Amino acid sequence: MDGYSLSDLFSILVMQGFSGLSLFSVLLLMALGLAIIFGQMGVINMAHGEFMTIGAYTIYMTSRFTERHFPSFMPYYFIVAILASFLIAFFVGYLLEFLLIRHLYKRPLDTLLATWGLSLILQQVFRSFFGAREVSATLPDWLMGAWKPTPDIDIPLNGLFVMAMSMLVTAMVGLFLFKSKWGLKVRATTQNRVMASAVGINTKMVDRVTFAIGCGIAGVAGACFTTIASTGPTSGSLYIVDTFLVVVFGGTASLFGTIASAFTIAQAQSILTFFLTNAMGKVVTLLTIIAILMMRPEGLLRSKVRR
Amino acid sequence: MKGFGKAVLGKPGFVDLLVMAVIILVVFPLALDIFRLNLMGKYLTFAYCAVGLVMLWGYGGILSLGQGIFFGIGGYCMAMFLKLEASDPVSTAHQTTPGIPDFMDWNQVTQLPLFWEPFHSFIFTLFAIVVIPALTAYVIGVSMFKRRVSGVYFSIITQAIAAIVTILVVGQQGFTGGINGITDLKTLHGWDINTDSAKYILYFVNGVLLILSVILGKVVLSTKLGRLLLALRDKEDRVRFSGYDVSSYKVFVFCLAAVVSSVGGAMFTLQVGFMSPSIIGIVPSIEMVIFAAVGGRMSLVGAVYGALLVNYGKTAFSETFPTLWLFFMGFLFVGVVMMFPEGLSGLYKTYVEPRQRRWMMKVKGGKGIPEQLNENARV
C-alpha cells in the first residue's frame, strides 16, 4: 500500500465507496423485487435480470422517441420513462405469472428451470429487436457531469441520481408493504397462505400482483442501470448471480436484511476490486458470502415466521 | 455381485439398458462416419453429467446448478496431463522457458506451478479425476447439507460456485490457459489421440464407461439408499425423524454424481482435444440439467438419450438457424417443465410401454409382466 499518501487513500476510499454505492443501488433494486417474490412464493425468478433489461430498453426507446419528435421535452423525459419502464415490466410480469409461473408454485426447482428458459427466450427477443450491439440512451443534461467536493474527489451526478432513485423506491416498497391494504394482504399471504385465504384474501391475485410488482421494480432497476452503463441483450444476466446472493444472504422476507446485504456485497466488491484485480475482487467477495451463508444458512436476518 | 444381478439382470429395465448399449456400441459406429461419431462421443460425455443429475436431482431432489464444475475438474486434470506431455523440452525449445506449456510462456510464467507437477504421472491423473471431484463435492456437500441448506438455496449457491470457478479459471491465465483453455493436446503416452483409429478407440472407451456409469447408478439406486433418497426428496423431515442421517445420504449422492461427471469431463478432453472454461460455467451447468430433464429426471437411460438429443438439436439448429437456437433451448426448458415433467421416459412409459405389455401378453399367452411389478422395478 506504499505509494499512496493518506489523503490519496482517503479519496480512493471515497470514490470506490461511491462506485460501490451505485452498484449497491442497482443491486438493491434488483434484489428487492426478487426478495418479495421469493419471500412470498418461494419462487426463484431466473428471468429477473431480463426484466431489468426490459426497463433499460424502455428508457432507450423513450429517449429515441423524444429526441426525434419532442426535442424540447428532452430534459424531462427521463421521469416519464422511469414510470414507463416500471409499467411495462409490471405488465410483462403480470402476463408471465398468469401464463407460466402460477402453474409451478408447488415445484420451486422446476420454476427455476422454466424461468431460465424464459430468460433465454427474452434475451433472443431483445437480440432480434435491438441487435446484439449495446445501446445507450441519451441522458438529459442534468444527469451529466460530476460533483467535486474537493479537487481529488469526483462524484458523478448520475450515480447520485441512481442512489436517490433506489432510496425512493425502497421507501415506497416499505410503505406499500407496511402501510397499505395490499401490503397487509401480501404480508398475510407470506406468513400463512392457508389462513390468509381462509379469511378471504384472494391469495392467487396477491401472488400475481406481487410478482408483477417485483418485475416492475426490476424495470426501474434497468432504468437506473442505463444511467451508468450501456444496455445489451445480456446486460441483466450479468447481475443475476449477484442478485440471488443478495437475496439469499439478506435472509428472505426481510426488507432490511436485503438492504444490508446489498450494501455489504456491493461495497466489498468495489473496494476489493480496487486493491486486487477485478476478477479476484469478485471471487473473494462471493467466496466470503458463501462461507458466511454456510454458517448462517438463513441469511443475515431470519424471518420470525414459524414454518 | 448379488446386488448387481438383482439390480441389472432380469428386470424390465435391463432391456432398456441393452437397447442403449447396442445403440451406442453398435448402431452409431456402423452408421456414422468418424467425424459424426466423434461428435456423438462428445455428446455422450455430457450424458455422464445427466446421469449424475438423475441420481442427484431426480431421486434426491437436490438440484445442483454447478455440475459443470465437476465436469471441468475431470476435463482439466486430463488436459493438464496431456498438455504436459505435449510440451516436452524438445518441442517447446523456441520458448523462453522450454518444457512448460505454451500459454504459461506467453504469460511470463517461468516455472511450472507446483500444482501442475503431479500431473506428469498418468496414474496420478487418473487418481485425481476420481478423487478431486469427490473431495470437492464432499467439502461442499458436508458444509451445506449438515447445515440443512437445501432446495433453492442449494441451487443458488452451487450456481455461485460455478461462477466463482469460471472467474478464477479465466482470471488466472498463466496457470490455467485463461479463456482459451488448454488446447493443442496431442498424445497420450506417445499415442496420437487425433488419428481416426484413436478416435474410434476413445469412442468405445467412452461408451463403455458411460454404460458402466449407468449400471453403477442402477445398482446404487436399487439399494436401500435409492429408496431413502426418494423418501427424503418427498418428505425430508419424516426420514430424519425416523432416525436416518439425511445429510450423509445427500453428501454421498452428491459425491457420486460429481465423480461420474468428472469422468465425463476427462473423456471430453480426450475426444475433443481441448478443455476450456466455456464448458464449465453457469450456462453449460444448467444445460446439463435440461439434458436430464428432457430424458426424464427419473430415468438413467433416459438421461443419456436426453443428452444426445438436445446436443444433436443444438448442433443441427446452430448450423442452420443460429438465431433460433436460443428460442429452441428456451422453449425446451419451459415446455419440458410445464408439459412433460417426466421427459422422454415419461412419454415412453405412458404411450409405448402399455402397448408393449399388451403385445407381450399376446405372445406369451397372458404371461406378461404384471403392471405393479414393472412400475416398482424401473430405475
Side-chain angles (χ1 to χ4, degrees):
Chain A
M1 222 135 291
D2 9 33
Y4 295 121
S5 76
L6 211 60
S7 74
D8 279 349
L9 214 57
F10 176 72
S11 308
I12 288 167
L13 218 59
V14 170
M15 267 156 40
Q16 281 310 113
F18 190 78
S19 86
L21 283 179
S22 311
L23 181 63
F24 158 66
S25 313
V26 175
L27 276 186
L28 175 60
L29 284 175
M30 288 278 286
L32 269 183
L34 207 61
I36 321 180
I37 295 172
F38 183 59
Q40 183 180 329
M41 292 156 256
V43 156
I44 280 278
N45 180 12
M46 284 284 205
H48 205 70
E50 275 56 49
F51 285 96
M52 178 184 133
T53 321
I54 289 181
Y57 275 123
T58 311
I59 299 277
Y60 168 70
M61 291 302 284
T62 30
S63 100
R64 285 270 305 269
F65 182 77
T66 323
E67 222 170 0
R68 201 166 299 163
H69 301 285
F70 308 100
S72 59
F73 191 59
M74 261 327 257
Y76 317 105
Y77 91 91
F78 206 72
I79 309 293
V80 182
I82 288 178
L83 265 179
S85 52
F86 177 83
L87 287 178
I88 291 182
F90 181 93
F91 281 114
V92 176
Y94 192 89
L95 200 68
L96 284 175
E97 204 277 347
F98 178 73
L99 291 176
L100 180 69
I101 314 284
R102 72 188 169 116
H103 303 291
L104 299 170
Y105 283 140
K106 296 226 169 74
R107 301 184 275 157
L109 293 181
D110 285 6
T111 332
L112 215 139
L113 294 180
T115 47
W116 175 266
L118 195 64
S119 90
L120 291 183
I121 297 171
L122 286 174
Q123 279 176 24
Q124 191 55 41
V125 170
F126 299 145
R127 206 167 282 129
S128 339
F129 272 100
F130 300 100
R133 270 195 330 168
E134 300 206 332
V135 295
S136 29
T138 324
L139 296 177
D141 292 334
W142 50 269
L143 269 177
M144 309 300 225
W147 175 51
K148 286 179 180 252
T150 74
D152 284 343
I153 299 178
D154 256 348
I155 290 186
L157 284 180
N158 53 9
L160 282 176
F161 174 78
V162 170
M163 245 174 71
M165 211 42 225
S166 74
M167 289 299 135
L168 186 71
V169 172
T170 313
M172 275 161 70
V173 168
L175 279 179
F176 169 80
L177 279 180
F178 294 102
K179 295 290 174 208
S180 77
K181 201 138 193 177
W182 261 104
L184 188 66
K185 288 182 184 175
V186 170
R187 280 181 294 142
T189 313
T190 309
Q191 291 190 357
N192 195 328
R193 179 172 299 268
V194 182
M195 277 313 286
S197 54
V199 297
I201 294 173
N202 182 352
T203 52
K204 282 186 181 153
M205 200 59 204
V206 172
D207 283 347
R208 195 162 307 154
V209 172
T210 310
F211 190 85
I213 287 178
C215 295
I217 298 174
V220 178
C224 292
F225 176 79
T226 44
T227 64
I228 51 178
S230 51
T231 315
T234 53
S235 296
S237 56
L238 297 180
Y239 282 90
I240 198 75
V241 174
D242 293 11
T243 315
F244 286 148
L245 282 184
V246 168
V247 173
V248 175
F249 185 53
T252 47
S254 155
L255 194 60
F256 186 70
T258 309
I259 299 174
S261 87
F263 185 79
T264 324
I265 292 181
Q267 286 302 336
Q269 219 174 89
S270 70
I271 289 176
L272 282 175
T273 299
F274 184 79
F275 291 112
L276 304 163
T277 59
N278 210 338
M280 284 315 282
K282 192 152 183 166
V283 167
V284 172
T285 320
L286 294 184
L287 273 180
T288 318
I289 303 285
I290 289 175
I292 296 177
L293 269 179
M294 283 174 180
M295 284 179 274
R296 276 187 76 92
E298 314 88 354
L300 282 179
L301 298 172
R302 67 184 84 178
S303 59
K304 296 218 172 62
V305 183
R306 199 176 290 167
R307 297 280 167 203
Chain B
M1 291 314 277
K2 216 175 119 201
F4 173 84
K6 211 173 132 196
V8 180
L9 300 173
K11 289 283 170 82
F14 177 66
V15 179
D16 302 348
L17 189 69
L18 201 69
V19 170
M20 186 188 82
V22 168
I23 291 179
I24 293 178
L25 297 180
V26 182
V27 177
F28 282 163
L30 288 179
L32 300 169
D33 60 69
I34 183 64
F35 174 73
R36 291 277 160 192
L37 190 69
N38 187 238
L39 218 52
M40 279 299 167
K42 179 178 136 186
Y43 305 157
L44 285 176
T45 60
F46 292 119
Y48 287 86
C49 300
V51 167
L53 276 164
V54 167
M55 297 188 251
L56 190 60
W57 173 48
Y59 280 78
I62 308 159
L63 178 57
S64 160
L65 296 182
Q67 288 308 99
I69 308 169
F70 304 115
F71 191 78
I73 291 178
Y76 267 97
C77 284
M78 187 51 91
M80 280 157 86
F81 170 75
L82 295 177
K83 189 70 193 173
L84 282 180
E85 199 177 296
S87 7
D88 58 295
V90 183
S91 56
T92 53
H94 60 281
Q95 285 177 182
T96 328
T97 324
I100 63 169
D102 47 9
F103 61 83
M104 289 188 188
D105 198 54
W106 302 332
N107 287 289
Q108 282 89 39
V109 176
T110 50
Q111 207 189 350
L112 197 66
L114 208 59
F115 71 95
W116 273 72
E117 288 292 352
F119 288 94
H120 279 295
S121 147
F122 188 55
I123 302 294
F124 177 85
T125 306
L126 292 182
F127 180 71
I129 288 168
V130 175
V131 173
I132 296 181
L135 277 180
T136 317
Y138 183 77
V139 171
I140 298 175
V142 165
S143 48
M144 296 229 230
F145 297 132
K146 292 275 181 212
R147 296 255 160 210
R148 301 196 187 172
V149 176
S150 59
V152 187
Y153 286 83
F154 182 80
S155 309
I156 297 300
I157 291 177
T158 45
Q159 186 172 49
I161 296 176
I164 294 173
V165 172
T166 322
I167 296 173
L168 265 180
V169 171
V170 173
Q172 300 299 314
Q173 205 170 353
F175 299 142
T176 61
I179 191 87
N180 299 320
I182 302 179
T183 51
D184 284 331
L185 307 174
K186 297 189 180 77
T187 54
L188 177 81
H189 273 307
W191 177 52
D192 191 341
I193 57 168
N194 294 318
T195 58
D196 280 358
S197 66
K199 279 181 178 168
Y200 268 112
I201 293 172
L202 285 172
Y203 175 84
F204 281 110
V205 172
N206 182 33
V208 169
L209 280 176
L210 179 64
I211 292 163
L212 287 179
S213 307
V214 173
I215 293 176
L216 176 71
K218 272 183 187 285
V219 171
V220 168
L221 291 180
S222 66
T223 59
K224 191 176 171 190
L225 178 93
R227 219 162 302 154
L228 271 169
L229 281 177
L230 269 182
L232 69 87
R233 179 194 72 182
D234 293 337
K235 270 277 180 286
E236 184 171 330
D237 280 337
R238 281 194 197 168
V239 180
R240 186 173 285 130
F241 297 156
S242 313
Y244 291 102
D245 182 10
V246 168
S247 56
S248 316
Y249 292 102
K250 287 188 171 180
V251 171
F252 174 77
V253 73
F254 188 46
C255 291
L256 185 64
V259 172
V260 171
S261 308
S262 169
V263 173
M267 289 315 297
F268 177 90
T269 306
L270 278 174
Q271 292 188 94
V272 183
F274 75 93
M275 189 69 210
S276 89
S278 64
I279 307 153
I280 68 174
I282 293 180
V283 177
S285 297
I286 201 166
E287 279 180 3
M288 290 165 189
V289 178
I290 206 66
F291 303 156
V294 167
R297 65 183 73 171
M298 299 299 289
S299 161
L300 291 164
V301 176
V304 175
Y305 293 124
L308 280 178
L309 208 67
V310 177
N311 276 299
Y312 178 75
K314 187 175 183 170
T315 315
F317 257 90
S318 42
E319 268 169 13
T320 34
F321 317 100
T323 52
L324 284 182
W325 161 242
L326 273 182
F327 278 129
F328 173 73
M329 197 72 181
F331 281 113
L332 201 62
F333 269 97
V334 177
V336 164
V337 167
M338 294 281 289
M339 282 171 278
F340 313 108
E342 295 301 318
L344 287 177
S345 87
L347 292 181
Y348 177 80
K349 270 186 197 165
T350 9
Y351 294 106
V352 185
E353 237 173 35
R355 280 157 214 266
Q356 211 179 20
R357 206 173 302 137
R358 243 174 286 150
W359 180 74
M360 276 175 62
M361 296 267 262
K362 243 186 236 167
V363 174
K364 287 190 181 173
K367 274 170 111 188
I369 308 151
E371 183 126 357
Q372 191 66 42
L373 184 83
N374 196 22
E375 284 307 308
N376 291 339
R378 184 59 49 89
V379 170

